[in-house]
Amino acid sequence: MSPGRQETHQHILIVAQKLFAAGGYDATGVAEICLQAGVSKGAFYHHFASKHALFLELLDGWLASLDAGFARAERQADDVPTALRQMADLVAAGIRRPEAQLPMMLEFWAQAQRDPAIWQRAVEPYRKYQAYFEQLIAQGVETGTIRPVPPRVAAIMLTSMAVGLLMQAQFAPDSNEWGEAMRATVELFLEGLAGSQA
């Protein structure tokens, strides 16, 4: 894709994301996306097969950025508890940003209830992150930075806490406290898991 075409592609994605987050997927039509993005319908369909395809590309992009952030945190950390703290900071920073993608994430979940294809794409990452945290916690147990606990149970707890906090952040979008709550919750969780080397 040429630089100009890539810019147009990204511009449409950014505009669509804002519209979906503000008004919802169903209420946002291709015509409105084209109008706000300043492109023709022909240009839209040149870049995306459908509104549905655009929506899934947004989901994939959001998850890819999260994956990259988690991988970076794991590489930079000296131990598992430190990696988990950095991951909590990453999510907290996302909550605090004005362009935070919480409304978009909730729209993904809402659409997943009605669309089997989106449901599968939404469930896969949840299971993937749960398995990822299970492996990470098992690594912490093995190295002694996390006390012996069932890694799967701890991963379920951690994932549930993260999703719950993200939901609460959406209930009070103008509050700045949820990022701090995310870090404090993970810190309390890690205190309970502190190993002999912590």
Side-chain angles (χ1 to χ4, degrees):
M1 194 179 296
S2 68
R5 289 174 61 190
Q6 181 64 36
E7 282 182 16
T8 301
H9 190 91
Q10 286 301 119
H11 178 62
I12 295 171
L13 283 171
I14 291 167
V15 169
Q17 176 185 308
K18 291 177 181 176
L19 292 172
F20 289 152
Y25 176 84
D26 291 329
T28 303
V30 170
E32 184 180 4
I33 295 171
C34 291
L35 179 65
Q36 295 297 322
V39 299
S40 66
K41 279 193 176 182
F44 177 93
Y45 287 113
H46 178 75
H47 288 275
F48 305 97
S50 63
K51 183 176 77 166
H52 181 272
L54 183 153
F55 192 73
L56 289 178
E57 186 169 329
L58 283 170
L59 173 61
D60 289 342
W62 181 68
L63 293 172
S65 67
L66 196 60
D67 287 349
F70 282 0
R72 187 167 54 251
E74 188 176 356
R75 282 195 311 271
Q76 294 173 349
D78 294 328
D79 54 40
V80 170
T82 301
L84 290 172
R85 288 184 182 97
Q86 291 179 2
M87 290 172 191
D89 287 343
L90 177 71
V91 176
I95 291 173
R96 287 192 295 264
R97 285 200 304 267
E99 72 276 17
Q101 300 198 13
L102 285 171
M104 192 66 206
M105 184 184 68
L106 292 181
E107 189 61 24
F108 288 138
W109 290 347
Q111 284 303 309
Q113 298 299 314
R114 299 186 285 272
D115 187 321
I118 295 177
W119 171 257
Q120 190 61 31
R121 296 285 283 274
V123 168
E124 283 173 5
Y126 179 82
R127 291 174 177 159
K128 181 186 76 172
Y129 289 128
Q130 190 169 289
Y132 172 72
F133 288 127
E134 182 178 351
Q135 176 270 327
L136 202 57
I137 290 166
Q139 180 183 327
V141 171
E142 185 178 333
T143 57
T145 56
I146 289 178
R147 68 181 176 84
V149 294
R152 178 169 172 74
V153 173
I156 290 171
M157 290 174 61
L158 184 59
T159 309
S160 299
M161 286 188 307
V163 171
L165 282 163
L166 290 172
M167 291 292 292
Q168 290 185 60
Q170 182 58 27
F171 296 152
D174 296 327
S175 173
N176 291 321
E177 69 181 2
W178 298 116
E180 288 72 18
M182 175 72 75
R183 176 62 187 267
T185 301
V186 170
E187 194 63 48
L188 189 61
F189 175 76
L190 290 172
E191 284 178 16
L193 295 183
S196 59
Q197 296 180 23

